[in-house]
Amino acid sequence: MAPPYGQPAVGSTATVSATTTSENLANFVYIHHIPKMETKRLSATLETNNKWYDLGVKQMGYSSAELDGIRRCCQQNNRSPAEGLLENWGNYNHTITELFVVLSREKLYECMEIIKRYVDPRYHVLIKNIDGGAAMGGMGPMLGLNGRRVPQGQGRQANEPAPLLQPNCRDAANKPLNGSNSKENSPFANEVADLSGVIPNISYEDLTTATDNWSERNILGKGGFGTVYRGVFKHTYMAIKKIDYNKVKTSEAERVQLQQSINELRFLNACRHDNIVPLYGYSIEKEPCLVYQFMPGGSLDKSLFARRPASPLTWKERMNIARGTAKGLQYLHTFCEKPFIHGDIKPGNILLNEYKQPRIGDFGLTRQGARQDSAMVVSRVYGTRPYIPREFYDRKELSTKVDTYSFGVVLYEIGTGLRAWDERRTDKHLKDYIARAVHENVHVSELMDKSLPMDADGLHVCYNMLMAGHLCTADDPRQRPDMVAVMWHLEKA
């Protein structure tokens, strides 16, 4: 592909005063947000009588072997084992509030006092409760990204305020207390209990009201298993995905759909990033629902391919969308020791806010990859065919390079305004169409979206996106760049 004229050819944590208030609590969410001095004090207190070890085994789900490994590592680095434990648990995106709760279950009130200022005041009552975690029994078990489970308490006191994040509370028989409105024996209901401690539950009745009784006027989109509605809850616009059991034809299909919904809960709760759609809550009554931030700009798919768009995306907007999506993907791939692979990157799953800023959505197919991102063989292939590379489709080899490939195809679509697959084209796959253009040295002006004016800036933007896409869609996954490199390439373009 010939470049535009003049373009080279391509082949410290601040300390916080004791007057910290709820107004700035938002700055202190995760364990790594705790200032260094408080972390040192907390670690020193946990070192007393090996309290850190008991905390790790009884409340954080570590094995003795794992804690001994943390101890050895810390000895080599001249650090305290308690500090290593806090850092390790924090690496799985556990929050300060979760730490506060598990400390209460071990009756480590002195430790709780150290971090009290960074926890919502509604949780402070746990320090006063001499029974240890009883006040938070309603929060249910909490599950970290590594699958470690924090044991459930014994039930909330009658005179105790409700927890900050209200779950679907369960009785001793592990049945929903509001069982009359819940789908009996729902696998979704059973598995989502693992996450109920950190994800707000919103009643089905409230969601019905929010969507005006699931009015067709509020439908944002439909899928194979359900429908996404726009709703207004607590004076806030939200997008509500309702899973329709009537559309599920077989028990296997139901299992797959429920598992995808659980995946979304897990990964969206774990991933907090400007370019990932925030999860607001869920409901497991009647038809399970997931509640997200409403994105008024709709999907990138609609912005690119609507029959009568209000106005086409400008080249500047297109590059911003490409950069933001790349940032979100690189975060997914790098924020944890094992990468998270989205598995279904396409314009329909890239949502835009009112300022055309992108956020990645639909995490139903997300899977955790192998360490060092080595390819692993999976049992099934999911995704959208034109965006799936051959090694995944044919050999079921999964790695982050699957997302890289998919993103490359999206870059082609953004640059050309053409769909990834078109039966009417000689080269039905857009990837093949661009590959032939590169081989034949076709000028970029012949490839760029004709709905926009052809100027120097547009030529430059389109050229850089298409060449990045060409690198991302290399047939050999080893030749594809990782998403960090792709992000930097687009940032410099």
Side-chain angles (χ1 to χ4, degrees):
M1 179 175 61
Y5 305 109
Q7 180 80 34
V10 173
S12 84
T13 307
T15 58
V16 181
S17 69
T19 59
T20 302
T21 65
S22 59
E23 283 74 20
N24 57 16
L25 278 176
N27 297 324
F28 302 93
V29 178
Y30 297 104
I31 291 173
H32 64 265
H33 290 156
I34 301 174
K36 186 174 296 185
M37 290 300 297
E38 273 84 347
T39 300
K40 290 288 187 184
R41 288 176 55 204
L42 182 59
S43 301
T45 306
L46 286 172
E47 284 291 316
T48 307
N49 297 325
N50 270 347
K51 293 174 183 175
W52 71 275
Y53 200 93
D54 292 336
L55 183 70
V57 170
K58 295 178 181 179
Q59 302 298 339
M60 293 179 173
Y62 287 90
S63 67
S64 297
E66 288 173 317
L67 292 179
D68 289 339
I70 290 176
R71 191 204 306 269
R72 289 192 298 272
C73 181
C74 289
Q75 287 173 343
Q76 294 172 0
N77 296 315
N78 198 27
R79 301 173 65 207
S80 73
E83 190 174 353
L85 173 67
L86 293 174
E87 181 179 323
N88 189 283
W89 209 54
N91 285 340
Y92 295 101
N93 273 27
H94 286 292
T95 65
I96 302 174
T97 299
E98 290 178 73
L99 177 61
F100 195 77
V101 171
V102 299
L103 289 170
S104 75
R105 290 173 178 154
E106 283 297 293
K107 302 182 182 180
L108 297 174
Y109 304 127
E110 185 179 355
C111 296
M112 296 168 69
E113 286 286 355
I114 295 173
I115 61 173
K116 173 181 175 180
R117 68 186 68 177
Y118 310 118
V119 176
D120 190 281
R122 280 179 281 185
Y123 287 91
H124 293 179
V125 68
L126 293 179
I127 298 178
K128 302 175 184 178
N129 192 304
I130 61 173
D131 292 329
M136 293 301 292
M139 286 198 68
M142 290 179 285
L143 197 67
L145 291 179
N146 61 345
R148 304 190 192 286
R149 189 173 300 202
V150 181
Q152 192 173 6
Q154 301 302 314
R156 188 157 49 91
Q157 298 290 326
N159 60 347
E160 207 55 55
L164 179 64
L165 302 179
Q166 296 182 10
N168 184 46
C169 299
R170 311 172 78 83
D171 62 14
N174 204 32
K175 297 179 181 178
L177 296 182
N178 53 351
S180 59
N181 293 326
S182 299
K183 185 175 178 66
E184 292 184 5
N185 301 320
S186 167
F188 186 97
N190 292 334
E191 293 195 44
V192 83
D194 290 337
L195 297 164
S196 62
V198 287
I199 304 175
N201 174 263
I202 303 174
S203 75
Y204 189 84
E205 181 181 359
D206 284 341
L207 296 182
T208 300
T209 302
T211 57
D212 192 17
N213 198 27
W214 309 104
S215 169
E216 290 190 1
R217 298 191 305 273
N218 289 320
I219 292 178
L220 297 173
K222 294 185 177 182
F225 293 105
T227 305
V228 180
Y229 295 83
R230 179 179 58 185
V232 181
F233 178 69
K234 303 294 185 183
H235 307 288
T236 302
Y237 280 106
M238 296 182 175
I240 303 162
K241 179 193 288 187
K242 182 174 74 165
I243 300 169
D244 186 355
Y245 283 108
N246 294 326
K247 293 183 178 180
V248 178
K249 303 300 183 184
T250 67
S251 58
E252 172 65 13
E254 179 177 352
R255 186 194 65 78
V256 169
Q257 176 59 18
L258 293 177
Q259 187 58 54
Q260 289 181 8
S261 300
I262 293 164
N263 275 349
E264 288 204 71
L265 282 173
R266 293 185 190 280
F267 292 112
L268 283 176
N269 181 65
C271 301
R272 306 293 183 181
H273 189 273
D274 288 344
N275 299 112
I276 294 175
V277 175
L279 176 70
Y280 283 168
Y282 72 96
S283 173
I284 56 173
E285 304 169 27
K286 296 185 178 180
E287 296 161 311
C289 300
L290 301 179
V291 185
Y292 314 89
Q293 180 185 20
F294 173 65
M295 302 294 283
S299 69
L300 175 60
D301 186 274
K302 289 184 178 179
S303 292
L304 287 176
F305 306 121
R307 292 184 178 180
R308 290 186 293 274
S311 60
L313 294 168
T314 66
W315 286 115
K316 181 179 180 180
E317 289 171 336
R318 294 179 191 221
M319 180 55 86
N320 285 338
I321 291 168
R323 289 169 176 164
T325 306
K327 288 179 181 178
L329 277 175
Q330 68 82 28
Y331 179 77
L332 279 178
H333 293 175
T334 61
F335 88 102
C336 200
E337 186 176 4
K338 292 183 180 180
F340 289 108
I341 303 165
H342 184 278
D344 199 19
I345 294 296
K346 59 183 179 180
N349 289 336
I350 298 171
L351 306 177
L352 308 177
N353 66 11
E354 61 269 38
Y355 305 109
K356 306 296 183 184
Q357 296 300 316
R359 290 197 168 106
I360 300 170
D362 199 340
F363 282 70
L365 302 183
T366 300
R367 283 180 267 196
Q368 191 166 28
R371 296 178 189 273
Q372 285 81 47
D373 193 28
S374 57
M376 60 183 188
V377 177
V378 297
S379 58
R380 292 191 176 192
V381 174
Y382 292 112
T384 307
R385 181 63 184 95
Y387 303 90
I388 297 176
R390 181 162 296 177
E391 81 274 3
F392 186 42
Y393 187 80
D394 290 344
R395 302 189 297 275
K396 300 179 182 177
E397 295 175 0
L398 180 65
S399 71
T400 58
K401 298 302 180 69
V402 170
D403 282 347
T404 300
Y405 180 96
S406 303
F407 180 68
V409 177
V410 171
L411 288 177
Y412 288 157
E413 293 181 291
I414 296 174
T416 65
L418 303 176
R419 287 195 176 274
W421 173 270
D422 191 336
E423 284 283 353
R424 298 168 296 181
R425 280 198 309 259
T426 302
D427 296 300
K428 295 178 175 55
H429 279 285
L430 186 54
K431 173 193 179 300
D432 296 336
Y433 175 76
I434 299 297
R436 184 164 57 84
V438 172
H439 179 73
E440 296 176 0
N441 205 32
V442 174
H443 194 271
V444 66
S445 61
E446 298 182 38
L447 301 173
M448 62 192 301
D449 192 337
K450 302 302 189 295
S451 66
L452 295 175
M454 187 183 300
D455 54 27
D457 288 342
L459 287 167
H460 178 82
V461 168
C462 183
Y463 175 77
N464 279 288
M465 281 199 292
L466 294 185
M467 290 314 301
H470 184 60
L471 295 173
C472 290
T473 55
D475 290 329
D476 185 348
R478 294 171 296 183
Q479 299 301 316
R480 297 173 207 150
D482 59 37
M483 284 307 305
V484 175
V486 177
M487 178 189 71
W488 284 114
H489 174 86
L490 293 173
E491 286 289 328
K492 295 177 180 179

